[in-house]
Amino acid sequence: MQSTSKNFKANSTKALADPNLQQALGKMKVGFVEKRAKARAALPEFDALRDQARDIKNHTLANIDYYLETYEAAVQKSGGVVHWARDAAEARQVVLDICAEEKAKSVTKGKSMVSEEIALNAALEAAGYEVVETDLGEYIIQIRGEAPSHIIAPAVHVLKEQVADDFRKKHLHLDPKRSLMERKELISEARGVLRQKYLDSDVGITGANFLIAETGTSVIVTNEGNGDLTQTLPRVHIVIASMEKIVPTLDDASAILRVLARSATGQEFSAYTTFSTGPKKAADPDGPEAYHVILLDNGRTEMLGTEFEDMLRCIRCGACMNHCPVYGSVGGHAYGWVYPGPMGAVLTPSFIGVAEGGHLPNASTFCGRCQDVCPMRIPLPKMMRAYRRKEFEAGLAPPAARFGLDIWGFVAKRPSLYRLATRMAIGLMGWRGRKEGRFKSLPLASGWTDHRDMAAPAGKTFQDMWDKRQGARSAKDLEREAAR
Amino acid sequence: MSSSSRDEILGKIRKARGRSGPIEGFERDRLDARLKSRPRGIIPQKARNTGAALVQDFISRAQGVEATVQDISALSEVPDAVATYLADHNLPAAVKMAPHADLAQIDWTQRPTLTVSEGRSFGQDKVSLTRAFAGIAETGTLMLLAGPEAPTTLNFLPEHHIVVLKRSEIVGAYEDAWDKLRDQVGPDGILSRVVNMITGPSRTGDIEQTIELGAHGPLGLHILVLAD
Ligand code: SF4
């Protein structure tokens, strides 16, 4: 997928002016946040389970070569094949080779963010395969020719009425006069159309929420059951998973599962948690003849041992974006690549470089809610700050920001000049804004004042007020205080 | 391509970890031991009931995710339970049944109008009848294993899924179900091709974040809890 992350500012201006998107985002905000809060309240051990989940992943990452090799051996023992892919191009090639070898014609897919990351659909279509997304949200955006705007709710930006329009345009074999007013009608139509696709397809591709070293097992977590049909009905099952999905044991996976659904949708457990190990055995009545796993690196090994390693604990629950005021205002597409929200602001520059994605960490108010809700206790704001620094050091920050910061830096290093400058500015602002108590616009701060007002300051600087209240500024002041 | 990619990826990991090769010696023994001993973490209080309270937890939590649950006291009650379920849901009198030894004992002659066939599904069956491996009280979750006696297609293709679960098969936490399973797979450790944890019927929130049942999998999940 071509990234437009550099245009975050323009993208978000467009998003803020899109009434359909704003209406859809309004519906999302209440749902996910309330449901997570309820699920958390219903499980007293929740925060302790988060600490434990963090520790399990840290242990795994510290020994990840051992666990990947153990996993590989277990997959092979069960009759499956493991492919290692350094980057997106290699991963796509593995899929294309398998499809060619199997003389496949059509491919069905369960939801997989990694497949978005490697732009798999475009490659498969270019090679002449029919590709059908089967997760309802993914199916909707595939018809619309869009990218997902949320990692667990890919069509969160689309209204029901828009889905009805899209289905009418796409499903031309159905009665044009049929009713598509209700959600139930839309869902049953998609169920009917997709049912045949599973049965006809040769290759089913899914992602993985976990890979289990102990048993060579891949795990998918879904609510619809589409992932299960995708991996049960076609002759070949391909799992595409990034390498950090590995955990040691079934028990470790279960421990992390306890915080996954609760953080994601507020469910205690998703409807289907499916553990797959190898292809169909001789006596099994159904299942795929072949089972392949692609282990993708694509920038992850570069994060190991750096300040961004913590990000590899991410279990893609989406809680950080559900609770993010910036995501809630502009939606996922403004972020311009595959992963949106706070996790995307860290992953995008990690995977496609600071030059392309380094601007996203600026899309944060640093309110810290993402870190507060992250089930894996990932310090997202700290990492966003680190990327801001990198962007600045690389000379990639916009010129106005650099110029302003340079002046500020010069003045801030000289205390008397700083005091003088701030006193003048505050005095001026206090005088200008005192009438209304707020500014509707400020020079150099339109990024703030275009969407909200800035409160007018009281007319004194913080240092002045501090001096007045506490008195103590220097040793001499302290002596004077003591003598009093 | 694959083997050089493999070496390069493992090499990068080791470099980041300050090692020149695989983990060896004492450290490796420690990791091997952890894999074998499978340390359990925190088991939530809600997963720790026993006896009748445990069964009640399973039932009420399964109902909480829109499954329906019915107690039966013998396998011979299955035909009546199935027939009533079909009638209540306006379904045709036909069931696709898993070729499971327990289910094969059921005498269907008392319900001659019901067509019962065995095997996997190809998408034509409205209703399936299968046998669970375990029930997990923690979240009202069923565990089903794929195998010669249990086609996976029966869990997902039909519109309604009826499952027979014995009371004695209900455990507290997910970890308890894994232990029960490990006892069965034996020392080679290869699991059934698929282990399905099923918690209520299929659902989606993909249109405007409002949950609707019956997305791709079953619209109805009916659990027959058999006293034993
Ligand atoms: S960063 Fe944390 S909250 Fe965000 S998706 Fe990943 S695990 Fe979830």
Side-chain angles (χ1 to χ4, degrees):
Chain A
M1 174 182 167
Q2 189 59 44
S3 135
T4 66
S5 302
K6 269 198 246 176
N7 307 334
F8 179 79
K9 228 171 144 178
N11 293 349
S12 37
T13 308
K14 220 171 85 199
L16 287 166
D18 178 344
N20 281 347
L21 175 65
Q22 290 303 320
Q23 199 186 332
L25 288 170
K27 292 186 192 211
M28 179 200 93
K29 271 184 237 173
V30 266
F32 283 137
V33 171
E34 275 176 17
K35 284 181 200 150
R36 176 196 173 272
K38 256 201 195 148
R40 179 186 176 207
L43 188 67
E45 297 90 347
F46 188 71
D47 284 340
L49 285 163
R50 290 168 69 195
D51 292 339
Q52 172 181 276
R54 173 198 60 206
D55 297 346
I56 290 172
K57 270 286 184 189
N58 282 348
H59 166 81
T60 313
L61 289 170
N63 305 288
I64 188 168
D65 49 337
Y66 168 87
Y67 284 119
L68 287 172
E69 285 189 300
T70 308
Y71 168 78
E72 181 187 39
V75 174
Q76 287 165 348
K77 194 164 122 189
S78 71
V81 185
V82 177
H83 309 261
W84 302 66
R86 277 173 292 202
D87 54 26
E90 272 191 8
R92 289 192 298 259
Q93 197 54 50
V94 174
V95 177
L96 289 171
D97 289 348
I98 295 170
C99 289
E101 199 169 304
E102 297 283 346
K103 300 194 173 47
K105 287 197 184 62
S106 68
V107 175
T108 42
K109 288 181 67 207
K111 200 176 132 30
S112 154
M113 288 310 294
V114 170
S115 112
E116 302 282 345
E117 180 183 325
I118 65 170
L120 182 60
N121 288 9
L124 283 167
E125 278 163 5
Y129 300 103
E130 187 197 8
V131 184
V132 182
E133 292 286 352
T134 62
D135 172 83
L136 180 60
E138 290 280 346
Y139 180 65
I140 292 170
I141 59 164
Q142 189 186 26
I143 295 181
R144 295 171 63 84
E146 291 177 328
S149 70
H150 190 290
I151 58 171
I152 64 157
V156 69
H157 60 286
V158 188
L159 294 171
K160 188 178 72 184
E161 293 71 23
Q162 296 174 293
V163 178
D165 285 351
D166 296 332
F167 278 14
R168 268 186 218 291
K169 276 184 221 143
K170 173 82 181 177
H171 304 152
L172 292 171
H173 61 291
L174 299 174
D175 178 9
K177 290 201 218 67
R178 69 195 183 280
S179 163
L180 287 176
M181 300 274 282
E182 303 296 326
R183 268 185 296 273
K184 276 195 194 332
E185 294 167 331
L186 295 165
I187 290 163
S188 104
E189 179 160 319
R191 181 187 166 106
V193 170
L194 289 169
R195 188 48 69 102
Q196 202 51 46
K197 300 285 181 191
Y198 299 116
L199 291 162
D200 296 343
S201 94
D202 309 297
V203 174
I205 300 178
T206 67
N209 291 81
F210 301 97
L211 303 174
I212 298 172
E214 173 194 6
T215 49
T217 300
S218 58
V219 183
I220 57 170
V221 180
T222 74
N223 274 317
E224 298 183 0
N226 66 304
D228 291 278
L229 291 170
T230 300
Q231 66 169 56
T232 305
L233 296 170
R235 288 199 319 272
V236 180
H237 178 199
I238 304 177
V239 180
I240 322 181
S242 49
M243 49 181 258
E244 82 282 9
K245 296 283 172 3
I246 191 87
V247 293
T249 65
L250 292 163
D251 302 69
D252 292 318
S254 307
I256 301 177
L257 280 165
R258 286 198 176 92
V259 295
L260 173 57
R262 289 180 170 95
S263 301
T265 54
Q267 287 169 284
E268 306 220 313
F269 217 54
S270 300
Y272 302 115
T273 304
T274 300
F275 299 74
S276 309
T277 314
K280 172 180 180 301
K281 297 179 185 175
D284 286 352
D286 49 20
E289 313 276 337
Y291 174 84
H292 296 267
V293 185
I294 300 171
L295 284 178
L296 178 71
D297 177 351
N298 209 29
R300 275 118 180 132
T301 45
E302 309 280 339
M303 295 163 78
L304 285 174
T306 72
E307 56 200 322
F308 304 110
E309 177 170 327
D310 289 337
M311 196 61 219
L312 295 174
R313 292 201 299 267
C314 175
I315 52 172
R316 307 288 191 265
C317 72
C320 55
M321 60 198 75
N322 294 341
H323 291 77
C324 174
V326 177
Y327 179 97
S329 308
V330 300
H333 286 157
Y335 291 79
W337 194 57
V338 174
Y339 300 106
M343 55 87 80
V346 177
L347 285 180
T348 308
S350 300
F351 291 165
I352 62 175
V354 175
E356 273 299 327
H359 195 51
L360 294 184
N362 295 304
S364 165
T365 64
F366 289 96
C367 67
R369 282 167 80 190
C370 50
Q371 178 174 344
D372 289 347
V373 298
C374 175
M376 304 307 288
R377 303 241 190 245
I378 297 173
L380 291 152
K382 190 184 97 191
M383 285 186 280
M384 282 190 262
R385 266 194 296 273
Y387 266 126
R388 277 195 191 188
R389 207 173 54 237
K390 277 185 189 280
E391 189 204 22
F392 191 81
E393 282 163 9
L396 295 165
R402 298 189 71 82
F403 178 69
L405 280 175
D406 283 348
I407 296 187
W408 184 85
F410 177 83
V411 177
K413 277 184 223 144
R414 294 162 179 79
S416 50
L417 189 58
Y418 184 85
R419 232 166 269 135
L420 180 71
T422 50
R423 222 172 268 163
M424 275 169 62
I426 294 283
L428 197 66
M429 282 169 77
W431 172 73
R432 262 189 48 194
R434 198 152 304 141
K435 259 196 271 167
E436 293 185 20
R438 316 195 62 73
F439 289 101
K440 288 247 179 293
S441 74
L442 278 174
L444 296 178
S446 62
W448 179 280
T449 56
D450 280 357
H451 301 293
R452 45 221 179 299
D453 296 346
M454 169 92 159
K460 287 212 166 63
T461 67
F462 171 74
Q463 283 129 319
D464 286 345
M465 290 196 277
W466 177 259
D467 287 352
K468 200 160 169 213
R469 284 198 198 151
Q470 309 277 324
R473 186 167 68 211
S474 62
K476 221 191 259 161
D477 288 335
L478 283 173
E479 273 167 36
R480 227 178 285 144
E481 283 275 289
R484 230 177 261 155
Chain B
M1 178 178 69
S2 192
S3 77
S4 73
S5 303
R6 179 184 192 278
D7 293 346
E8 191 179 316
I9 292 170
L10 290 171
K12 278 175 145 182
I13 294 171
R14 286 167 186 153
K15 194 162 162 244
R17 291 288 170 251
R19 291 196 297 266
S20 52
I23 299 172
E24 305 280 7
F26 168 74
E27 276 300 302
R28 191 176 189 90
D29 295 346
R30 207 175 52 99
L31 294 173
D32 287 345
R34 188 187 188 283
L35 270 186
K36 286 217 178 58
S37 68
R38 301 179 303 260
R40 276 187 180 202
I42 302 163
I43 304 294
Q45 201 55 47
K46 65 180 291 197
R48 290 169 175 222
N49 261 336
T50 51
L54 180 75
V55 174
Q56 198 41 53
D57 281 349
F58 172 81
I59 292 174
S60 62
R61 288 174 192 151
Q63 287 168 335
V65 288
E66 284 86 30
T68 48
V69 184
Q70 184 181 345
D71 280 316
I72 54 173
S73 50
L75 266 180
S76 59
E77 291 174 24
V78 172
D80 271 352
V82 170
T84 312
Y85 184 86
L86 298 183
D88 287 352
H89 292 83
N90 267 328
L91 291 160
V95 181
K96 182 57 82 61
M97 187 172 82
H100 191 283
D102 289 352
L103 301 179
Q105 295 170 23
I106 298 171
D107 176 11
W108 295 92
T109 50
Q110 45 172 313
R111 286 282 179 176
T113 54
L114 207 61
T115 314
V116 181
S117 52
E118 266 191 7
R120 63 160 285 177
S121 178
F122 290 93
Q124 319 305 330
D125 314 287
K126 291 261 184 217
V127 183
S128 62
L129 177 67
T130 71
R131 187 70 181 80
F133 172 74
I136 302 164
E138 179 168 3
T139 43
T141 299
L142 291 168
M143 183 184 269
L144 291 98
L145 311 181
E149 298 193 316
T152 307
T153 40
L154 293 187
N155 302 345
F156 294 97
L157 279 170
E159 274 173 34
H160 292 264
H161 184 195
I162 305 176
V163 186
V164 176
L165 170 74
K166 292 184 185 168
R167 279 175 84 95
S168 61
E169 290 162 345
I170 296 174
V171 298
Y174 312 119
E175 287 84 344
D176 298 328
W178 292 126
D179 282 352
K180 184 171 145 75
L181 181 57
R182 285 186 184 108
D183 290 345
Q184 219 191 33
V185 293
D188 77 340
I190 301 178
L191 296 184
S192 309
R193 184 185 64 79
V194 168
V195 178
N196 288 123
M197 285 194 186
I198 298 182
T199 311
S202 155
R203 63 200 60 212
T204 181
D206 270 351
I207 302 180
E208 297 183 343
Q209 275 45 69
T210 308
I211 297 291
E212 298 284 353
L213 297 185
H216 293 276
L219 181 73
L221 175 66
H222 190 56
I223 306 170
L224 302 176
V225 178
L226 172 66
D228 67 330

